[in-house]
Short mmCIF file of all heavy atoms in Angstrom, two decimals:
data_model
loop_
_atom_site.label_atom_id
_atom_site.label_comp_id
_atom_site.label_asym_id
_atom_site.label_seq_id
_atom_site.Cartn_x
_atom_site.Cartn_y
_atom_site.Cartn_z
N ALA A 94 -12.32 1.33 -10.63
CA ALA A 94 -10.99 1.84 -10.94
C ALA A 94 -10.18 2.11 -9.68
O ALA A 94 -8.98 1.85 -9.64
CB ALA A 94 -11.10 3.11 -11.79
N ASN A 95 -10.82 2.63 -8.63
CA ASN A 95 -10.09 2.91 -7.40
C ASN A 95 -9.53 1.63 -6.78
O ASN A 95 -8.42 1.63 -6.24
CB ASN A 95 -10.97 3.63 -6.38
CG ASN A 95 -11.05 5.11 -6.68
OD1 ASN A 95 -10.03 5.75 -6.83
ND2 ASN A 95 -12.25 5.63 -6.78
N ALA A 96 -10.27 0.53 -6.84
CA ALA A 96 -9.78 -0.74 -6.30
C ALA A 96 -8.57 -1.21 -7.09
O ALA A 96 -7.58 -1.67 -6.51
CB ALA A 96 -10.89 -1.79 -6.34
N ALA A 97 -8.63 -1.10 -8.40
CA ALA A 97 -7.50 -1.52 -9.23
C ALA A 97 -6.27 -0.65 -8.95
O ALA A 97 -5.16 -1.16 -8.80
CB ALA A 97 -7.89 -1.46 -10.70
N ALA A 98 -6.46 0.66 -8.86
CA ALA A 98 -5.34 1.57 -8.59
C ALA A 98 -4.76 1.33 -7.20
O ALA A 98 -3.54 1.33 -7.02
CB ALA A 98 -5.79 3.03 -8.73
N SER A 99 -5.61 1.10 -6.24
CA SER A 99 -5.15 0.83 -4.87
C SER A 99 -4.32 -0.45 -4.82
O SER A 99 -3.29 -0.51 -4.15
CB SER A 99 -6.34 0.74 -3.93
OG SER A 99 -5.92 0.46 -2.63
N ALA A 100 -4.77 -1.47 -5.53
CA ALA A 100 -4.03 -2.72 -5.56
C ALA A 100 -2.66 -2.51 -6.20
O ALA A 100 -1.66 -3.04 -5.72
CB ALA A 100 -4.82 -3.79 -6.30
N LEU A 101 -2.60 -1.73 -7.26
CA LEU A 101 -1.32 -1.43 -7.89
C LEU A 101 -0.42 -0.63 -6.95
O LEU A 101 0.77 -0.92 -6.82
CB LEU A 101 -1.53 -0.65 -9.19
CG LEU A 101 -2.04 -1.44 -10.38
CD1 LEU A 101 -2.48 -0.50 -11.51
CD2 LEU A 101 -0.98 -2.41 -10.88
N ASP A 102 -0.99 0.36 -6.28
CA ASP A 102 -0.21 1.17 -5.34
C ASP A 102 0.38 0.33 -4.22
O ASP A 102 1.50 0.58 -3.76
CB ASP A 102 -1.07 2.29 -4.73
CG ASP A 102 -1.41 3.38 -5.72
OD1 ASP A 102 -0.73 3.50 -6.75
OD2 ASP A 102 -2.37 4.12 -5.44
N ALA A 103 -0.36 -0.66 -3.76
CA ALA A 103 0.10 -1.51 -2.65
C ALA A 103 1.32 -2.33 -3.02
O ALA A 103 2.02 -2.82 -2.14
CB ALA A 103 -1.03 -2.42 -2.20
N LEU A 104 1.60 -2.46 -4.30
CA LEU A 104 2.76 -3.24 -4.73
C LEU A 104 4.06 -2.47 -4.60
O LEU A 104 5.13 -3.07 -4.65
CB LEU A 104 2.58 -3.70 -6.18
CG LEU A 104 1.44 -4.67 -6.40
CD1 LEU A 104 1.30 -4.97 -7.88
CD2 LEU A 104 1.65 -5.95 -5.62
N HIS A 105 3.99 -1.15 -4.47
CA HIS A 105 5.19 -0.32 -4.34
C HIS A 105 6.19 -0.64 -5.44
O HIS A 105 7.37 -0.88 -5.17
CB HIS A 105 5.82 -0.46 -2.96
CG HIS A 105 4.90 -0.15 -1.84
ND1 HIS A 105 4.46 1.13 -1.58
CD2 HIS A 105 4.28 -0.94 -0.94
CE1 HIS A 105 3.63 1.10 -0.56
NE2 HIS A 105 3.50 -0.14 -0.15
N MET A 106 5.73 -0.67 -6.68
CA MET A 106 6.60 -0.97 -7.82
C MET A 106 7.59 0.17 -8.02
O MET A 106 7.19 1.34 -8.06
CB MET A 106 5.76 -1.16 -9.09
CG MET A 106 4.86 -2.37 -9.04
SD MET A 106 3.85 -2.51 -10.54
CE MET A 106 2.70 -1.14 -10.31
N GLN A 107 8.87 -0.16 -8.15
CA GLN A 107 9.91 0.85 -8.33
C GLN A 107 9.70 1.70 -9.57
O GLN A 107 9.97 2.89 -9.58
CB GLN A 107 11.28 0.19 -8.43
CG GLN A 107 11.81 -0.37 -7.16
CD GLN A 107 13.19 -0.95 -7.37
OE1 GLN A 107 13.76 -0.87 -8.44
NE2 GLN A 107 13.74 -1.55 -6.32
N ASP A 108 9.21 1.07 -10.64
CA ASP A 108 9.08 1.78 -11.91
C ASP A 108 7.77 2.52 -12.06
O ASP A 108 7.56 3.20 -13.05
CB ASP A 108 9.26 0.80 -13.07
CG ASP A 108 10.70 0.30 -13.17
OD1 ASP A 108 11.61 1.07 -12.82
OD2 ASP A 108 10.89 -0.85 -13.60
N ALA A 109 6.86 2.39 -11.11
CA ALA A 109 5.59 3.11 -11.17
C ALA A 109 5.74 4.44 -10.43
O ALA A 109 6.03 4.48 -9.24
CB ALA A 109 4.47 2.29 -10.55
N LEU A 110 5.53 5.53 -11.14
CA LEU A 110 5.64 6.84 -10.52
C LEU A 110 4.35 7.22 -9.81
O LEU A 110 4.37 7.99 -8.87
CB LEU A 110 5.98 7.90 -11.57
CG LEU A 110 7.31 7.67 -12.31
CD1 LEU A 110 7.50 8.74 -13.36
CD2 LEU A 110 8.45 7.67 -11.32
N GLY A 111 3.22 6.65 -10.26
CA GLY A 111 1.96 6.93 -9.59
C GLY A 111 0.78 6.44 -10.38
O GLY A 111 0.90 6.10 -11.56
N THR A 112 -0.38 6.42 -9.71
CA THR A 112 -1.63 6.04 -10.35
C THR A 112 -2.65 7.14 -10.11
O THR A 112 -2.57 7.88 -9.12
CB THR A 112 -2.19 4.72 -9.80
OG1 THR A 112 -2.44 4.87 -8.41
CG2 THR A 112 -1.24 3.56 -10.03
N LEU A 113 -3.60 7.22 -11.02
CA LEU A 113 -4.70 8.17 -10.89
C LEU A 113 -5.94 7.43 -11.35
O LEU A 113 -5.96 6.86 -12.44
CB LEU A 113 -4.45 9.40 -11.77
CG LEU A 113 -5.49 10.50 -11.75
CD1 LEU A 113 -5.56 11.13 -10.36
CD2 LEU A 113 -5.15 11.55 -12.77
N ALA A 114 -6.97 7.40 -10.50
CA ALA A 114 -8.17 6.63 -10.81
C ALA A 114 -9.40 7.52 -10.85
O ALA A 114 -9.56 8.41 -10.02
CB ALA A 114 -8.38 5.53 -9.77
N GLY A 115 -10.23 7.23 -11.82
CA GLY A 115 -11.55 7.84 -11.90
C GLY A 115 -12.57 6.78 -11.53
O GLY A 115 -12.32 5.93 -10.68
N ASP A 116 -13.70 6.81 -12.19
CA ASP A 116 -14.75 5.83 -11.92
C ASP A 116 -14.46 4.49 -12.59
O ASP A 116 -14.56 3.44 -11.97
CB ASP A 116 -16.10 6.37 -12.41
CG ASP A 116 -17.23 5.42 -12.11
OD1 ASP A 116 -17.42 5.10 -10.91
OD2 ASP A 116 -17.91 4.98 -13.05
N ASP A 117 -14.06 4.55 -13.86
CA ASP A 117 -13.83 3.31 -14.61
C ASP A 117 -12.50 3.32 -15.38
O ASP A 117 -12.30 2.50 -16.26
CB ASP A 117 -14.99 3.03 -15.57
CG ASP A 117 -15.15 4.11 -16.62
OD1 ASP A 117 -14.41 5.11 -16.60
OD2 ASP A 117 -16.03 3.94 -17.49
N THR A 118 -11.62 4.24 -15.04
CA THR A 118 -10.35 4.36 -15.74
C THR A 118 -9.22 4.62 -14.76
O THR A 118 -9.34 5.45 -13.86
CB THR A 118 -10.38 5.51 -16.77
OG1 THR A 118 -11.49 5.32 -17.64
CG2 THR A 118 -9.11 5.57 -17.58
N VAL A 119 -8.11 3.89 -14.95
CA VAL A 119 -6.90 4.11 -14.16
C VAL A 119 -5.79 4.54 -15.10
O VAL A 119 -5.60 3.92 -16.16
CB VAL A 119 -6.45 2.81 -13.44
CG1 VAL A 119 -5.16 3.04 -12.66
CG2 VAL A 119 -7.54 2.29 -12.53
#
Side-chain angles (χ1 to χ4, degrees):
N95 279 309
S99 179
L101 285 168
D102 289 341
L104 295 176
H105 303 290
M106 295 178 289
Q107 288 182 4
D108 291 328
L110 300 177
T112 60
L113 181 64
D116 182 58
D117 62 357
T118 305
V119 178

